[in-house]
Amino acid sequence: MEVSIEPSWKEEMSEEFSKPYFAQIASFLKTEKKAGKIIYPPGPQIFNAFQYTPFNEVKVVIIGQDPYHNPGQANGLCFSVADKVAPPPSLVNIFKELVDDVEVAPPKSGNLEKWARQGVLLLNASLTVEENKPMSHSKIGWDIFTDQVIRHVSDHRDHVVFMLWGRFAQNKEVLINTAKHKILKAAHPSPLSAYNGFVGCKHFSKANYWLREMGEKTIDWTL
């Protein structure tokens, strides 16, 4: 597939883009589309997490599982939705925690692009999904690529905060050098688990405190 991606990422991940598994991902997506399958997010938005957050600007990484699978929701940033789309339940809980933690006004939009443009890499482990079929693309090779992204950020960036929400994200800790990065762990913000440790985790203020301690610019979490 022709990778339309921000230049710094194209350079940093060039080896991955040339590997057989990546060609297989492209082939799978083309075949599915020819068969009439509806894939989210739309093609031009698949790599939005990278488009909005150049490699050398990554300060925070938030890891999701896969894109929203309902029409009109996914926009290539984990947990984020397009403007004028109602925030799904997990994002509602993220916003509740955000408002309580850093005392910002309740966000008017579920679009997290503003965070991404400040250095928050909003990375789903799978970059695509079939309509109405959660985790349907979790075995096509995306995890190989996104694990390499996490590993590469860990190896070649300094002072990055990794927010690992839920068991799936926390399993990625093995890819991260904890000696030079900050790991923040909590339950997943889903209504099924948010009150088991996500609510009250204060990850937004903790991230900024640590970035400030490291001499890095903090994130303006207002939306």
Side-chain angles (χ1 to χ4, degrees), residues 21 31 42 49 70 123 155-156 164 174:
Y21 82 86
T31 300
N70 292 325
L123 182 68
D155 290 347
H156 299 284
L164 307 181
V174 297

Side-chain angles (χ1 to χ4, degrees), residues 2-146:
E2 178 62 32
V3 180
S4 175
I5 193 168
E6 192 275 334
S8 67
W9 282 106
K10 202 161 190 175
E11 180 178 347
E12 293 291 335
M13 304 305 296
S14 59
E15 283 188 28
E16 299 305 307
F17 294 136
S18 62
K19 288 181 178 177
Y21 82 86
F22 203 87
Q24 289 167 5
I25 294 173
S27 177
F28 174 86
L29 294 176
K30 286 176 183 175
T31 300
E32 292 291 279
K33 286 183 178 180
K34 280 182 181 177
K37 303 285 182 66
I38 298 175
I39 308 296
Y40 298 130
Q45 297 180 6
I46 290 173
F47 291 96
N48 267 2
F50 305 93
Q51 292 291 86
Y52 294 143
T53 312
F55 178 78
N56 292 324
E57 295 177 19
V58 175
K59 292 187 284 189
V60 176
V61 178
I62 299 177
I63 300 171
Q65 284 188 266
D66 67 341
Y68 295 121
H69 55 86
N70 292 325
Q73 290 184 318
N75 69 350
L77 307 174
C78 76
F79 294 108
S80 175
V81 291
D83 287 319
K84 299 181 181 177
V85 174
S90 290
L91 187 55
V92 169
N93 284 332
I94 290 170
F95 286 167
K96 285 179 182 176
E97 178 59 24
L98 175 72
V99 170
D100 182 62
D101 181 16
V102 292
E103 299 179 351
V104 296
K108 293 184 173 65
S109 171
N111 190 340
L112 305 182
E113 183 181 327
K114 183 181 174 185
W115 291 359
R117 292 191 182 280
Q118 294 180 78
V120 182
L121 181 65
L122 296 163
L123 182 68
N124 276 314
S126 297
L127 299 188
T128 57
V129 70
E130 184 180 341
E131 183 179 47
N132 298 326
K133 292 186 178 179
M135 302 300 290
S136 50
H137 290 182
S138 64
K139 307 293 186 187
I140 70 170
W142 280 130
D143 58 318
I144 303 172
F145 175 68
T146 53

